[in-house]
Amino acid sequence: MNIVFSKPAYGFHVEEFINQISKAMSKNSTTDFAEKAKDMLRQKTQVNNLFLTTSCSTALNAIALTLSQKFSGSVIVPSFTFTSTAAAFESVGFNIVYADVTEDTLCLDVNSLEQLRTEDLIAVVTTNYGGYVRNHEQLREWCDQNGVFMIEDAAHSIDSAFKLKTASVADFATFSFHSTKNLSSVEGGALVVNNIDYLDQILFSLNKGTNRHNFLAGKIDKYEWVGRGSNFMMTEFHSAILLSSLLEYPNVIEKRKLVWNNYAQKMTQLLENTDWKINPLSLKGETLGYHIFFALAPTAKIKKEMIHSMNLLDIPVQSHYPPLHLSLYGSRFSNLTLPVTESISDRIIRFPLHGDINQSQQEYILRTFENLLGNPANR
Ligand SMILES: Cc1ncc(COP(=O)(O)O)c(C=O)c1O
């Protein structure tokens, strides 16, 4: 049946755009795909200061480098996230403090922050797991009260909103356009700067530690080394792919929504009277990007066996993040127990989700899952 777990949708203009770059190169001239893609993204996300980067990880690196020039101390990150969320800050010397997530959102538990707060706290990073952004209002309030930065790892949530839109209230936010994400340029990312006090500094970091952007704007007559930075800007090739993907994106989201809603509807019935849970959040009021569809098994053992059995039947269901605080490198920063993170990580199963899953493939996935659930040991 050849079901794949995720599949990027690059749209129909990649070849044409790459040809344009190639022609421009032969004439020693340039193209403006980065500018066009940036403008489209700015309109889509309704933010002013958005910059394209080589990845979400390097966007986080640019934030960390910028803050490290002025501050030292601790940064709180959820343990249930990708390594880059924490690694960017650890790599420039910040002390990493892990927070737990809530069982209903799988996102940072803002109520746990009071206990984790230290005198030297600089920032709190939240990851919008599966596109959920419910904790933003409370987190913004907490960060304001405590005088710390709010940073949003929005790798999963280009389309999300719950009262507040993604990337609208954090001081800094980052998107990923990796090939596994809803919107992709194969590799790529974006950095949003809402705290304009740091706009110049962030641009220094993105521009190899130079004030080149001021030179290009005609504000200075030569540029020089002014701070910490590296080459974090997206190339024209990746920008061309991103632009083509952006043009296709409205169709992609409609298709993902159909697949996601079908899982949600069928699984709500299938899992009734079992100890499984699906995306526990009511979707009331939530705008989701339909990036991940997950279920939580009753136990780690049942999850492991379910993944194994489904994989044997060519259905590529997958687990997700192992807790950072238990990882080989990340465990050195903490000896805390984070019960929700550990339990979620033990029990989570993600189902194939992309715009090209057809009806018969999804029926096969759901029928197989239902058959395996027929065994009482799996419930
Ligand atoms: C939450 C989160 N942050 C950051 C990243 C890293 O993104 P990138 O591959 O664009 O660096 C990922 C990758 O999957 C992620 O899931």
Side-chain angles (χ1 to χ4, degrees):
M1 199 157 263
N2 196 22
I3 301 170
V4 293
F5 182 74
S6 71
K7 188 171 173 190
Y10 296 124
F12 301 99
H13 298 275
V14 174
E15 206 175 327
E16 172 196 337
F17 291 170
I18 299 288
N19 280 340
Q20 285 178 29
I21 297 177
S22 172
K23 275 195 190 130
M25 281 164 68
S26 65
K27 292 184 192 147
N28 206 15
S29 100
T30 53
T31 48
D32 58 355
F33 291 109
E35 280 309 309
K36 285 182 180 150
K38 201 161 59 177
D39 285 348
M40 260 189 100
L41 271 171
R42 282 178 177 164
Q43 275 177 25
K44 176 171 173 48
T45 53
Q46 292 162 18
V47 299
N48 290 325
N49 300 308
L50 177 146
F51 307 98
L52 300 181
T53 57
T54 49
S55 67
C56 183
S57 304
T58 54
L60 289 160
N61 286 132
I63 298 167
L65 277 174
T66 297
L67 296 183
S68 74
Q69 287 170 91
K70 201 162 170 197
F71 306 99
S72 59
S74 303
V75 173
I76 296 179
V77 300
S79 174
F80 188 67
T81 185
F82 192 69
T83 48
S84 305
T85 320
F89 298 92
E90 194 278 329
S91 66
V92 292
F94 288 113
N95 180 36
I96 298 299
V97 177
Y98 297 112
D100 212 343
V101 293
T102 62
E103 171 117 13
D104 63 343
T105 63
L106 277 54
C107 297
L108 181 102
D109 182 357
V110 182
N111 292 329
S112 73
L113 294 177
E114 212 46 47
Q115 267 179 308
L116 300 172
R117 186 164 58 95
T118 50
E119 281 298 308
D120 68 350
L121 185 66
I122 304 299
V124 180
V125 192
T126 187
T127 294
N128 306 331
Y129 188 81
Y132 292 124
V133 292
R134 281 197 174 212
N135 60 2
H136 285 195
E137 201 174 17
Q138 195 193 359
L139 180 57
R140 182 67 269 177
E141 212 174 287
W142 194 89
C143 288
D144 285 342
Q145 276 163 6
N146 290 278
V148 300
F149 296 100
M150 173 177 168
I151 300 169
E152 184 184 341
D153 182 337
H156 300 182
S157 62
I158 186 93
D159 276 304
S160 301
F162 178 72
K163 295 189 196 162
L164 301 170
K165 220 170 143 39
T166 193
S168 66
V169 292
D171 293 278
F172 310 104
T174 59
F175 293 116
S176 172
F177 306 128
H178 184 261
S179 56
T180 52
K181 301 299 186 290
N182 287 17
L183 175 67
S184 177
S185 52
V186 185
E187 290 278 2
L191 200 172
V192 173
V193 184
N194 291 321
N195 185 334
I196 52 166
D197 291 348
Y198 288 85
L199 187 56
D200 249 357
Q201 299 292 329
I202 288 278
L203 284 163
F204 299 157
S205 284
L206 292 173
N207 269 302
K208 306 159 197 164
T210 73
N211 51 1
R212 187 165 178 264
H213 69 283
N214 288 332
F215 170 71
L216 293 176
K219 291 184 186 164
I220 49 177
D221 55 14
K222 64 177 172 49
Y223 67 90
E224 62 183 323
W225 187 14
V226 289
R228 288 184 181 158
S230 190
N231 187 353
F232 292 135
M233 298 291 223
M234 188 183 273
T235 67
E236 271 295 282
F237 285 103
H238 290 94
S239 304
I241 300 170
L242 183 62
L243 184 64
S244 179
S245 305
L246 271 163
L247 294 169
E248 179 61 11
Y249 196 62
N251 296 329
V252 173
I253 249 337
E254 275 314 302
K255 290 183 193 162
R256 292 186 80 102
K257 183 177 172 181
L258 281 178
V259 178
W260 198 100
N261 281 338
N262 197 31
Y263 275 135
Q265 195 199 347
K266 301 274 164 50
M267 288 216 192
T268 304
Q269 293 160 9
L270 284 182
L271 299 176
E272 221 181 3
N273 304 320
T274 73
D275 290 327
W276 284 74
K277 284 188 181 155
I278 55 164
N279 287 40
L281 220 50
S282 130
L283 288 184
K284 232 173 167 191
E286 192 105 20
T287 307
L288 266 187
Y290 308 101
H291 179 52
I292 293 175
F293 190 90
F294 65 85
L296 298 174
T299 64
K301 184 168 177 284
I302 294 179
K303 162 190 160 168
K304 215 171 148 201
E305 283 169 5
M306 183 60 82
I307 292 183
H308 180 68
S309 305
M310 291 192 77
N311 287 172
L312 279 179
L313 294 164
D314 290 332
I315 300 174
V317 289
Q318 290 184 10
S319 181
H320 213 177
Y321 307 126
L324 290 182
H325 71 285
L326 302 180
S327 65
L328 189 63
Y329 187 74
S331 56
R332 71 187 64 191
F333 312 118
S334 163
N335 49 17
L336 283 179
T337 300
L338 298 173
V340 183
T341 296
E342 289 167 33
S343 164
I344 294 288
S345 182
D346 274 350
R347 295 187 292 129
I348 193 164
I349 299 186
R350 290 178 299 153
F351 289 78
L353 176 55
H354 53 84
D356 274 356
I357 292 187
N358 62 37
Q359 211 181 338
S360 67
Q361 287 177 326
Q362 201 176 14
E363 274 167 13
Y364 175 65
I365 295 167
L366 286 161
R367 204 176 339 111
T368 307
F369 185 56
E370 183 177 10
N371 288 342
L372 291 164
L373 279 178
N375 177 353
N378 285 337
R379 296 159 147 258

